[in-house]
Amino acid sequence: MSNIESFFNPKSVAVIGASANMDSISGRPIRYMQEHGYQGEIYPINPKYDEIAGLKCYKSILDIPGDVDQALVAVNFKLVMKTLNECVQKGVKHALVFSSGFAESGEEGKKVQDEIVELSKKTGLRVLGPNCQGMVNLIDHIPCSFSASLEIQPALKGSVGFVTQSGALGYSIFNLAQETGVGFSYVVSTGNEVDLNSVDFIEYLVENENTSMIITYTEDVKDGKRFKKVTERALELGKPIVCIKVGSSEVGQKAAASHTAALTGSDTPYQTLFNQRGIIRVDEIQDAINFAVMMERIKKIPEDTNLGVITTSGGAGILLADKAEEYNLKLPELDQKTREVVEENIPVYGSSLNPVDVTAQVINEPDNFKNVLQVMANNPGIDGIVIVISMIYGASGATMAKCIVEMKEKTDTPIIVTWPAGDRLMKDNFDILTEGYIPWYKSPEQAVKTLGSAMKYGKLRKKVAGYKKLADIKANKEVLQAIDAKDRYSEHDAKEILDKYGLPITREKVVNSSEEAVQYASELGFPVVLKIDSPDILHKTEVGALKLNLNSAQEVEDAYNTIMQNVKKHKPDASLNGILVQEMVKGGKEMIVGINESRFGPMVMVGLGGIFVEVLKDVSYRIAPFTREEGLQMLEELKGYKILTGVRGEEPSDIESLVDMLVKMGQFAFEFEDKISELDINPVMVMPKGKGVKIADALISK
Amino acid sequence: MSNIESFFNPKSVAVIGASANMDSISGRPIRYMQEHGYQGEIYPINPKYDEIAGLKCYKSILDIPGDVDQALVAVNFKLVMKTLNECVQKGVKHALVFSSGFAESGEEGKKVQDEIVELSKKTGLRVLGPNCQGMVNLIDHIPCSFSASLEIQPALKGSVGFVTQSGALGYSIFNLAQETGVGFSYVVSTGNEVDLNSVDFIEYLVENENTSMIITYTEDVKDGKRFKKVTERALELGKPIVCIKVGSSEVGQKAAASHTAALTGSDTPYQTLFNQRGIIRVDEIQDAINFAVMMERIKKIPEDTNLGVITTSGGAGILLADKAEEYNLKLPELDQKTREVVEENIPVYGSSLNPVDVTAQVINEPDNFKNVLQVMANNPGIDGIVIVISMIYGASGATMAKCIVEMKEKTDTPIIVTWPAGDRLMKDNFDILTEGYIPWYKSPEQAVKTLGSAMKYGKLRKKVAGYKKLADIKANKEVLQAIDAKDRYSEHDAKEILDKYGLPITREKVVNSSEEAVQYASELGFPVVLKIDSPDILHKTEVGALKLNLNSAQEVEDAYNTIMQNVKKHKPDASLNGILVQEMVKGGKEMIVGINESRFGPMVMVGLGGIFVEVLKDVSYRIAPFTREEGLQMLEELKGYKILTGVRGEEPSDIESLVDMLVKMGQFAFEFEDKISELDINPVMVMPKGKGVKIADALISK
């Protein structure tokens, strides 16, 4: 049994600080275990009582005769350390600490929290929390939590795993989802994550056979690189991760720090990873629940974004078409043959475009509706269908609902229903859909959004193969030596490293006299650039150590001397390699490329030079490594992308070569992530199509 | 009684094509009128029956002895014209045509629809629809509709007016809203709008004393300029208009055309008007319902965007903080005194930042919650409060709910509750809030969004005064003469008109010889620009009729001759005023300003020149006229706005003068909207701060 598997399956549970009030926080877990049918041993611990809820109550965990797998710790903050020490003594495997008052409260709490970390590391006691609400294993009826959501019985068993960093909100979501009909496999609230953290659980659930998708409420991810691997595996297995990621705002970040002491950091790496790994980031809690409803009820995830809409209300059709565009879904026009079948089955004032408007006339002709649905579901150009039903109630509504349930048997195409109406009028018909395992929503917009999320996820998944190859990079020995050779790099040092890795740099040479400079300049051909080459001078322009567009031997000689004088004046202590003589690259577009560390490993950034980066912050990112396709997408995401394809009759730029470079940069970043913390290329010159790219300046930091 | 007032209050209603099946579309209206307690006369008309639902049934409307105010027309498409003619003969005031098959079906239907238009115009018979679902007057129990939403009885009377262009979706929304507890005053479905249109009804509801807010489902607005006035009046009266505007996507526009034959057109004018007039455009149907729930329950609309959050779940607090930022709300930090009170009432692991995290500890100390709520509600720096309650159920939850209801008596500050939990556990507590008239939502995100919409609306409303003054412009006689003097304008003609209006143009003169050109150029000082001045040559560069940066008499003379030769060659038939000699403006930023017609009257557009307009489509709009504040906002909305405030150490531009110009352009556009269809200024040069702006090229079209 793995660590997490045994965490979810304790044979015996001690409740330390147990209350005789079965409605209190330290009484409820006992009651819930009993009510939900837990089959293991329950040991209440409280020196004040002999018996609680018909169970023998112990003064201390050390008095229990048998083994204790799990301890639920619900004692006052001040008693937590003593309690945990006793758990260690007893040989408890997992302690779930419900108590609050730790890092989220300030210095004193932080100190005790650090002591827990140390104890756990030293003794091997695995700790969940503190400041958490425990776990529920719904598969095996094991509720080790005090959340009032467990009042609703029986709990609905299903295939959704849920990992939440907020206990209160997390179990609210669980409760809402359960009432919406979503079944869960395992739920865990991780609190301050001193030991066991979200990634441990997500990793387990991704491989767990009872679990087909995972919801997370996430303030921060403690173990980013492992999380990245877990998300790759989840994508490979086709288990969607739906993430409610909070802390993107400044105020939100402050609130997170005072809540579970989480440091959420910048949102960019999260959004970048989510995009790359198909993690479904939701705007609203309801979106996560909606997605879970769908996942549990459809036969397969659609693999592309061609949406078919069938509506009894033309107005709703327009609304859905707008939403589909907003979510980047396609509403393909139907082929002639399909349209003919549709037209035979709708009145003249309907529409055989997509959205197909069957009109409320279907009330009178239920077979027509069936025929339209069938021809749409069998159309290979449609990856999923949303059906909108408006105020069609009673027997007419029931007939439509049954028809949809029947169609489900005959097709793998996901069919989602939206029926914007109240329960008083429609409950019976809603029940037909629920019992027929059809995902349905009152909100038309949410129906499109939910199916759309699955469509985009499925489309991305088809492209997953590329990742693996890229991750299998062998360290390049020569490059490694060049990196290890120095602690700090001059521009030319940096470019040499890139050159050895096969990245395209300018023709250039470091020289140590004006004669040598003139000679190499003539070799290169004019114009040339001269700049100081020193690991100590990063901003060359500011100290007059950069001269562009030198057109003659005389200009080169003058520039050499001027630069030397300026450097001696402004940076007398700088260590100098000499002066770099470099070809002057003309006729390209300036771009900026960079590598930065993030919690998920190195991230490559690209942007157009000038106002695009400076004024518009127009940059895009990918976590390294990434595929050529992702490299191209990275460019396409730029607002100024058209500059590269050519505007105002300009030649298109060499996008192919730029993508090659980006992908190689991603490989480089991934391969040397432990060696290099930052790389700035500013600029790289992107030449016209077919003429390549040239790195004109580079800066590497260890 | 106004036309619309009598429309909503018929003393007698004939149902033409009445069915004896009281569940059918032409039977239901009779049943609904009876069930909902309509007090007027009901006349079923159908030659097949003598009696329907206990009422005498007539063979023809002409057989009815008394007056008939309103006719519900539910006959086959082919019989509609005959029926309407009989309505005219009978002196019916309003005909509500439920029948479909008109412009939404194609040519044949369009023809009959045109006949209805003609009949209505000729005879004064007012027509609703066709292809509509009628109206409901909830104030006086008059349901003239066949919508199944009327099965839910009694209908909930209230202060929300609803105007929908989609019958099926509209009444779905009505049904959903009613079940959520929203009361309505009047509901009307306008269908194809051959006569009575949405604006007629919105105009009425804005002034109607039973109505405090209006929801619309809108595909297109037929009478844009009147709609603009109505929205001004609504803003003045403080009656929010919540608009579900569809047809923004291309596919949506096609679907609208085939639905109610609506041509929705570009979304830009709508979004622009909505922004200027505080029309609350919602993303989802649910947003409209949420807003209505709030409006019916709060005492006053907040007037600024300072949000206070009180939460029992730290996690939910972070979520709300993120959402607040997304919706541009402020979460002000609390003052020291407030924080002290808060801290006295929360545990150490809570938070006295805003969001205030009172933690689930409030279960044990309900007075603490009351104290926190009170100090927040009384804080003048807080315009509205969202309270988040998580899994707090039973008596503890009830205590909190009651505390909130009590606080409502003591404060005008809107208090909104979000309680993300299911009905099975929480229904009793939810009922306390509903009965206490507290707006509450299960979705935390929707709670913030809803209150945020009201906050932004209230903030905008405070600024409304400026509009009126601007609308009172007196036509400028001299300008009017200049406009009327010609049918087509050359560049200089256009600039003269703008100059007369007080807009700043370049120094320039039209000359007719190279000598004159040279002489005027010397007066101006070099460099100068020469270009052809002709109403027939719009693209001067393409025909070699524009020469920039001329630095000497010789260059001017050469340019003069070259331009003349080029024009003779490429545009031999063009009518020429001469050659325009113009100062060459240097050192400014190029911008583009334009005036275009829209359905809401002329709209002013502004953008930065070059890639900003061409590549990034970075432009912003205002419907004319508009205030200085709006003119500045217009610039601030540009992605490249920083270019004007100064980047890379550049001087800031003369934003003041640019705003002056924009506002004046708005006045000009509004004043001469019947005379001018288009104006393009490209470029206007914006000089450094204090140095003004200069219109360097202009094109006016009638």
Side-chain angles (χ1 to χ4, degrees):
Chain A
M1 240 196 246
S2 82
N3 165 37
I4 304 295
E5 191 173 348
S6 78
F7 170 90
F8 278 127
N9 291 280
K11 300 266 174 292
S12 50
V13 178
V15 181
I16 307 178
S19 166
N21 173 356
M22 300 319 278
D23 287 332
S24 74
I25 283 179
S26 49
R28 282 187 217 157
I30 297 170
R31 174 160 63 84
Y32 293 150
M33 281 189 273
Q34 291 177 327
E35 289 173 350
H36 286 263
Y38 174 53
Q39 299 294 313
E41 295 296 329
I42 308 172
Y43 301 115
I45 317 268
N46 190 331
K48 283 196 275 182
Y49 306 105
D50 294 326
E51 194 194 289
I52 287 178
L55 301 164
K56 180 171 166 51
C57 184
Y58 295 86
K59 300 222 178 313
S60 154
I61 194 169
L62 299 173
D63 299 341
I64 298 171
D67 284 347
V68 178
D69 278 357
Q70 195 161 95
L72 312 186
V73 179
V75 300
N76 184 292
F77 160 73
K78 289 176 180 150
L79 299 174
V80 168
M81 276 314 294
K82 178 173 173 291
T83 305
L84 290 180
N85 274 304
E86 288 175 0
C87 287
V88 171
Q89 217 177 322
K90 180 64 188 170
V92 166
K93 286 181 201 149
H94 295 99
L96 286 59
V97 183
F98 297 161
S99 320
S100 299
F102 295 86
E104 76 278 11
S105 307
E107 274 314 304
E108 194 196 347
K110 174 80 172 63
K111 230 179 93 193
V112 182
Q113 182 164 316
D114 290 343
E115 287 173 32
I116 302 179
V117 174
E118 214 171 302
L119 180 78
S120 168
K121 276 191 188 150
K122 210 174 64 189
T123 65
L125 174 72
R126 303 308 305 259
V127 179
L128 182 78
N131 191 20
C132 81
Q133 297 201 5
M135 70 86 174
V136 187
N137 168 350
L138 289 99
I139 302 292
D140 306 295
H141 310 278
I142 310 178
C144 295
S145 168
F146 61 87
S147 168
S149 57
L150 292 163
E151 298 290 336
I152 303 300
Q153 292 157 15
L156 216 57
K157 194 188 287 199
S159 67
V160 179
F162 184 24
V163 181
T164 174
Q165 289 182 333
S166 167
L169 183 63
Y171 278 104
S172 278
I173 296 168
F174 169 67
N175 174 250
L176 270 173
Q178 288 258 297
E179 282 214 21
T180 314
V182 175
F184 286 79
S185 53
Y186 307 92
V187 179
V188 60
S189 144
T190 57
N192 292 11
E193 300 194 348
V194 293
D195 174 25
L196 292 169
N197 69 35
S198 305
V199 182
D200 296 313
F201 294 105
I202 299 170
E203 188 177 48
Y204 174 78
L205 293 172
V206 164
E207 302 290 345
N208 175 264
E209 60 177 6
N210 297 316
T211 304
S212 69
M213 68 165 281
I214 297 155
I215 299 177
T216 81
Y217 164 95
T218 303
E219 293 175 14
D220 76 331
V221 170
K222 290 247 162 73
D223 192 349
K225 293 186 187 175
R226 188 152 57 96
F227 181 64
K228 184 173 71 164
K229 278 189 198 135
V230 168
T231 60
E232 271 168 37
R233 180 71 178 144
L235 192 59
E236 194 182 331
L237 293 174
K239 294 193 184 181
I241 299 175
V242 174
C243 183
I244 302 163
K245 172 69 184 76
V246 300
S248 58
S249 68
E250 208 179 305
V251 183
Q253 284 170 21
K254 270 192 206 168
S258 83
H259 176 224
T260 47
L263 298 170
T264 62
S266 156
D267 199 60
T268 305
Y270 285 102
Q271 194 55 56
T272 305
L273 182 75
F274 291 2
N275 289 345
Q276 281 176 261
R277 297 290 182 265
I279 295 179
I280 297 153
R281 183 181 198 159
V282 291
D283 287 315
E284 297 199 19
I285 289 170
Q286 190 59 47
D287 295 342
I289 296 172
N290 290 343
F291 193 88
V293 166
M294 177 183 63
M295 273 298 291
E296 288 207 313
R297 298 184 188 176
I298 60 175
K299 291 186 196 165
K300 71 172 189 73
I301 296 174
E303 293 189 342
D304 209 338
T305 55
N306 298 295
L307 177 67
V309 173
I310 304 172
T311 179
T312 63
S313 152
I318 307 168
L319 188 75
L320 261 61
D322 287 351
K323 281 288 150 185
E325 182 175 276
E326 186 183 328
Y327 301 135
N328 292 314
L329 310 177
K330 283 168 274 172
L331 276 170
E333 271 197 39
L334 302 176
D335 56 285
Q336 199 48 42
K337 238 170 122 184
T338 305
R339 283 191 71 165
E340 277 165 21
V341 176
V342 170
E343 277 165 18
E344 281 161 22
N345 287 283
I346 61 172
V348 283
Y349 50 91
S351 169
S352 67
L353 296 171
N354 182 15
V356 170
D357 182 3
V358 294
T359 83
Q361 195 55 31
V362 282
I363 304 176
N364 305 325
E365 309 281 357
D367 276 353
N368 288 356
F369 175 66
K370 192 183 284 184
N371 296 339
V372 170
L373 180 51
Q374 188 160 336
V375 74
M376 292 284 280
N378 292 337
N379 190 318
I382 301 285
D383 302 305
I385 294 173
V386 172
I387 299 172
V388 195
I389 307 176
S390 46
M391 280 286 105
I392 298 173
Y393 76 113
S396 305
T399 306
M400 289 187 78
K402 282 176 200 159
C403 171
I404 294 165
V405 172
E406 277 166 32
M407 187 56 62
K408 195 186 171 177
E409 299 303 311
K410 298 181 200 155
T411 179
D412 280 353
T413 306
I415 300 175
I416 315 290
V417 175
T418 172
W419 204 326
D423 288 338
R424 275 177 70 188
L425 196 58
M426 297 295 181
K427 180 150 192 331
D428 291 348
N429 297 335
F430 293 162
D431 287 346
I432 295 171
L433 294 178
T434 303
E435 282 154 26
Y437 243 56
I438 303 290
W440 67 270
Y441 309 95
K442 288 189 183 175
S443 159
E445 301 91 345
Q446 288 176 17
V448 177
K449 193 178 192 179
T450 306
L451 181 56
S453 297
M455 287 177 147
K456 284 194 270 189
Y457 172 83
K459 189 176 177 181
L460 179 77
R461 233 200 119 211
K462 281 205 299 187
K463 295 180 192 159
V464 81
Y467 294 120
K468 283 206 158 172
K469 247 182 275 166
L470 283 167
D472 282 340
I473 295 159
K474 293 278 174 291
N476 183 320
K477 232 180 184 177
E478 205 189 338
V479 178
L480 194 60
Q481 277 168 356
I483 293 173
D484 283 342
K486 298 191 179 180
D487 277 341
R488 288 151 55 253
Y489 310 99
S490 71
E491 172 179 341
H492 184 66
D493 295 337
K495 282 155 117 180
E496 261 190 335
I497 292 170
L498 298 176
D499 183 37
K500 284 193 196 335
Y501 200 75
L503 285 156
I505 65 165
T506 41
R507 288 182 297 144
E508 63 186 39
K509 186 178 165 185
V510 177
V511 300
N512 284 294
S513 70
S514 60
E515 294 76 27
E516 213 184 331
V518 168
Q519 195 196 322
Y520 184 65
S522 335
E523 277 174 39
L524 280 178
F526 296 100
V528 297
V529 177
L530 260 64
K531 37 190 167 177
I532 198 72
D533 195 56
S534 160
D536 296 328
I537 302 174
L538 304 183
H539 304 288
K540 302 179 190 94
T541 313
E542 291 170 17
V543 295
L546 168 65
K547 301 286 168 194
L548 296 165
N549 211 16
L550 307 170
N551 275 300
S552 66
Q554 189 59 50
E555 282 182 30
V556 169
E557 191 184 326
D558 293 349
Y560 187 98
N561 295 329
T562 311
I563 288 175
M564 277 304 184
Q565 281 162 20
N566 286 340
V567 167
K568 269 176 203 149
K569 188 173 162 196
H570 298 296
K571 292 270 182 183
D573 302 330
S575 139
L576 307 179
N577 298 345
I579 280 187
L580 187 64
V581 181
Q582 179 204 296
E583 65 174 317
M584 172 99 192
V585 185
K586 284 197 161 176
K589 302 261 177 254
E590 289 193 16
M591 294 196 75
I592 297 172
V593 178
I595 296 174
N596 280 89
E597 281 178 339
S598 86
R599 61 185 64 217
F600 306 116
M603 207 160 59
V604 175
M605 182 273 279
V606 68
L608 284 145
I611 53 149
F612 284 96
V613 169
E614 284 178 48
V615 178
L616 302 170
K617 313 283 173 222
D618 181 23
V619 293
S620 72
Y621 298 89
R622 286 296 180 279
I623 309 277
F626 50 89
T627 60
R628 283 201 99 255
E629 190 162 24
E630 288 178 294
L632 180 59
Q633 279 170 3
M634 219 177 149
L635 295 175
E636 288 170 345
E637 281 169 21
L638 294 174
K639 297 185 199 101
Y641 178 60
K642 277 191 194 161
I643 297 285
L644 295 175
T645 58
V647 283
R648 299 187 202 173
E650 282 180 344
E651 273 184 283
S653 298
D654 198 336
I655 293 172
E656 291 274 309
S657 299
L658 181 58
V659 171
D660 287 340
M661 175 188 159
L662 290 172
V663 171
K664 206 149 202 171
M665 291 275 295
Q667 290 173 311
F668 177 83
F670 186 70
E671 193 163 356
F672 301 108
E673 68 172 309
D674 299 329
K675 298 277 175 184
I676 280 174
S677 71
E678 223 178 301
L679 166 57
D680 281 313
I681 295 177
N682 182 7
V684 56
M685 306 302 295
V686 185
M687 310 308 288
K689 195 168 176 176
K691 299 193 174 150
V693 301
K694 286 212 173 175
I695 295 169
D697 198 353
L699 178 65
I700 290 180
S701 310
K702 279 221 161 169
Chain B
M1 241 197 241
S2 83
N3 164 37
I4 304 294
E5 192 173 348
S6 78
F7 170 89
F8 279 127
N9 291 280
K11 302 264 173 294
S12 49
V13 179
V15 181
I16 307 178
S19 166
N21 173 357
M22 300 321 278
D23 288 332
S24 75
I25 282 179
S26 49
R28 283 188 215 157
I30 297 170
R31 175 160 63 83
Y32 293 151
M33 281 191 272
Q34 290 177 327
E35 289 173 350
H36 285 263
Y38 174 54
Q39 298 295 311
E41 295 296 328
I42 308 172
Y43 302 115
I45 318 268
N46 190 331
K48 282 196 274 183
Y49 306 105
D50 293 326
E51 192 194 289
I52 286 179
L55 300 164
K56 179 171 166 49
C57 183
Y58 295 86
K59 299 219 177 314
S60 154
I61 193 168
L62 299 174
D63 297 341
I64 298 171
D67 283 346
V68 177
D69 278 357
Q70 196 160 98
L72 311 187
V73 179
V75 299
N76 184 292
F77 160 74
K78 289 175 182 155
L79 299 173
V80 168
M81 276 314 294
K82 176 173 174 290
T83 305
L84 290 180
N85 273 305
E86 288 174 0
C87 288
V88 172
Q89 213 178 325
K90 179 66 189 171
V92 166
K93 287 182 200 148
H94 295 99
L96 285 60
V97 183
F98 296 161
S99 319
S100 300
F102 296 87
E104 76 278 12
S105 306
E107 275 313 304
E108 193 196 348
K110 176 79 173 62
K111 229 180 93 193
V112 182
Q113 181 164 318
D114 290 343
E115 287 173 31
I116 302 180
V117 174
E118 213 172 302
L119 180 77
S120 168
K121 277 191 186 151
K122 209 174 65 188
T123 65
L125 173 73
R126 303 308 305 259
V127 179
L128 182 77
N131 190 19
C132 80
Q133 297 201 6
M135 69 87 174
V136 187
N137 168 350
L138 290 101
I139 303 293
D140 305 295
H141 311 279
I142 311 178
C144 294
S145 168
F146 61 86
S147 168
S149 57
L150 292 163
E151 297 290 336
I152 302 301
Q153 293 158 12
L156 217 56
K157 192 188 289 200
S159 67
V160 179
F162 184 23
V163 181
T164 175
Q165 289 182 333
S166 167
L169 184 63
Y171 278 105
S172 279
I173 296 168
F174 169 68
N175 174 251
L176 270 173
Q178 288 258 295
E179 282 213 22
T180 314
V182 175
F184 285 79
S185 53
Y186 307 92
V187 179
V188 60
S189 144
T190 57
N192 292 10
E193 300 194 348
V194 290
D195 173 25
L196 293 169
N197 69 35
S198 305
V199 181
D200 296 313
F201 294 106
I202 299 170
E203 188 177 47
Y204 174 77
L205 293 172
V206 164
E207 302 290 346
N208 175 263
E209 60 176 6
N210 296 316
T211 304
S212 69
M213 69 165 280
I214 297 155
I215 299 177
T216 80
Y217 164 94
T218 303
E219 293 175 13
D220 76 331
V221 169
K222 289 246 163 76
D223 192 349
K225 292 186 187 174
R226 187 150 59 98
F227 182 64
K228 183 172 75 165
K229 278 188 197 133
V230 168
T231 60
E232 271 169 37
R233 179 71 177 144
L235 192 60
E236 193 182 331
L237 294 174
K239 294 194 184 180
I241 298 174
V242 174
C243 183
I244 303 162
K245 172 68 184 76
V246 300
S248 58
S249 68
E250 207 179 306
V251 184
Q253 285 170 20
K254 269 192 209 169
S258 84
H259 176 224
T260 47
L263 298 170
T264 62
S266 156
D267 199 60
T268 304
Y270 286 102
Q271 193 55 55
T272 305
L273 182 74
F274 291 1
N275 289 344
Q276 281 177 261
R277 298 291 182 263
I279 294 180
I280 297 152
R281 182 181 198 160
V282 291
D283 287 311
E284 296 199 20
I285 289 169
Q286 190 60 47
D287 295 343
I289 296 172
N290 290 343
F291 193 89
V293 166
M294 178 184 63
M295 273 298 292
E296 289 207 314
R297 298 183 189 178
I298 60 175
K299 291 186 196 165
K300 70 172 189 73
I301 296 175
E303 292 189 342
D304 208 337
T305 54
N306 298 295
L307 176 68
V309 173
I310 304 172
T311 178
T312 63
S313 153
I318 307 168
L319 188 76
L320 261 61
D322 287 351
K323 282 287 150 184
E325 184 175 276
E326 187 182 328
Y327 302 137
N328 292 314
L329 310 178
K330 283 167 274 175
L331 276 170
E333 271 197 37
L334 302 175
D335 56 286
Q336 199 46 43
K337 238 170 124 180
T338 304
R339 285 191 70 165
E340 278 165 20
V341 176
V342 170
E343 276 165 18
E344 282 162 21
N345 287 283
I346 61 171
V348 284
Y349 50 91
S351 170
S352 67
L353 296 171
N354 182 17
V356 170
D357 182 2
V358 295
T359 82
Q361 195 56 32
V362 283
I363 303 177
N364 304 326
E365 307 281 357
D367 276 352
N368 288 356
F369 175 65
K370 190 182 284 183
N371 295 338
V372 170
L373 181 50
Q374 188 159 338
V375 75
M376 292 284 280
N378 291 337
N379 190 318
I382 302 285
D383 302 305
I385 294 173
V386 172
I387 300 172
V388 194
I389 307 176
S390 46
M391 278 286 105
I392 298 174
Y393 75 112
S396 305
T399 306
M400 289 187 78
K402 283 175 197 155
C403 172
I404 294 165
V405 172
E406 278 166 30
M407 185 57 60
K408 195 188 171 176
E409 299 301 310
K410 298 182 198 154
T411 179
D412 280 352
T413 306
I415 300 175
I416 314 290
V417 175
T418 172
W419 204 324
D423 289 338
R424 276 177 70 188
L425 197 57
M426 296 296 180
K427 178 148 194 330
D428 291 349
N429 297 334
F430 293 162
D431 287 346
I432 294 170
L433 294 178
T434 303
E435 282 154 25
Y437 243 58
I438 303 290
W440 68 270
Y441 309 95
K442 289 189 182 175
S443 158
E445 300 91 345
Q446 288 177 16
V448 177
K449 192 179 193 180
T450 306
L451 181 56
S453 297
M455 287 177 147
K456 285 193 270 188
Y457 172 83
K459 190 176 177 181
L460 179 77
R461 231 198 120 212
K462 281 204 299 189
K463 295 179 194 160
V464 81
Y467 294 120
K468 283 207 157 172
K469 247 181 275 165
L470 283 168
D472 282 339
I473 295 159
K474 293 277 175 293
N476 183 320
K477 233 182 183 174
E478 205 188 338
V479 179
L480 194 60
Q481 278 169 356
I483 292 173
D484 283 342
K486 298 190 179 178
D487 277 339
R488 288 150 58 252
Y489 310 99
S490 72
E491 172 180 340
H492 185 65
D493 295 336
K495 281 155 119 180
E496 261 190 337
I497 292 170
L498 298 176
D499 183 38
K500 283 194 196 336
Y501 199 76
L503 285 157
I505 64 165
T506 41
R507 288 183 298 144
E508 63 186 42
K509 187 178 164 184
V510 177
V511 299
N512 283 294
S513 69
S514 61
E515 294 75 27
E516 213 185 331
V518 168
Q519 194 197 321
Y520 184 65
S522 337
E523 276 174 39
L524 281 177
F526 295 100
V528 297
V529 178
L530 260 63
K531 36 190 167 177
I532 198 70
D533 195 56
S534 159
D536 297 326
I537 302 175
L538 305 183
H539 303 289
K540 301 178 190 95
T541 314
E542 290 169 19
V543 294
L546 168 65
K547 300 288 168 192
L548 296 166
N549 213 17
L550 307 170
N551 275 300
S552 67
Q554 188 59 51
E555 283 182 28
V556 169
E557 192 184 326
D558 294 348
Y560 187 96
N561 295 327
T562 311
I563 289 174
M564 277 304 183
Q565 282 161 20
N566 286 340
V567 168
K568 268 177 205 146
K569 187 172 161 197
H570 297 295
K571 293 269 182 184
D573 302 329
S575 139
L576 307 180
N577 298 344
I579 281 189
L580 188 63
V581 181
Q582 181 205 294
E583 65 174 319
M584 170 101 193
V585 185
K586 284 197 162 178
K589 302 260 177 257
E590 288 194 15
M591 294 195 74
I592 296 172
V593 178
I595 296 174
N596 279 89
E597 281 178 340
S598 87
R599 62 184 64 216
F600 307 117
M603 207 161 58
V604 174
M605 182 274 279
V606 67
L608 284 144
I611 53 148
F612 284 95
V613 169
E614 283 178 50
V615 178
L616 302 170
K617 313 283 174 220
D618 181 22
V619 293
S620 73
Y621 297 89
R622 286 296 180 279
I623 309 276
F626 50 88
T627 60
R628 283 202 99 254
E629 191 162 23
E630 288 177 294
L632 179 59
Q633 280 170 2
M634 220 178 148
L635 295 175
E636 288 169 346
E637 281 168 21
L638 294 174
K639 297 186 200 101
Y641 178 60
K642 276 189 194 162
I643 297 283
L644 295 175
T645 59
V647 284
R648 300 187 201 173
E650 281 180 344
E651 271 184 285
S653 298
D654 199 335
I655 293 172
E656 291 274 309
S657 299
L658 181 57
V659 171
D660 287 340
M661 175 189 158
L662 290 172
V663 172
K664 207 151 201 168
M665 290 275 295
Q667 290 174 312
F668 178 82
F670 186 71
E671 193 164 356
F672 301 107
E673 67 173 310
D674 299 329
K675 299 276 177 185
I676 280 172
S677 71
E678 223 178 301
L679 165 57
D680 280 314
I681 296 177
N682 183 8
V684 55
M685 306 301 295
V686 185
M687 310 306 289
K689 195 169 175 175
K691 298 193 175 150
V693 300
K694 285 212 174 174
I695 294 169
D697 197 352
L699 177 66
I700 290 179
S701 311
K702 279 221 162 167

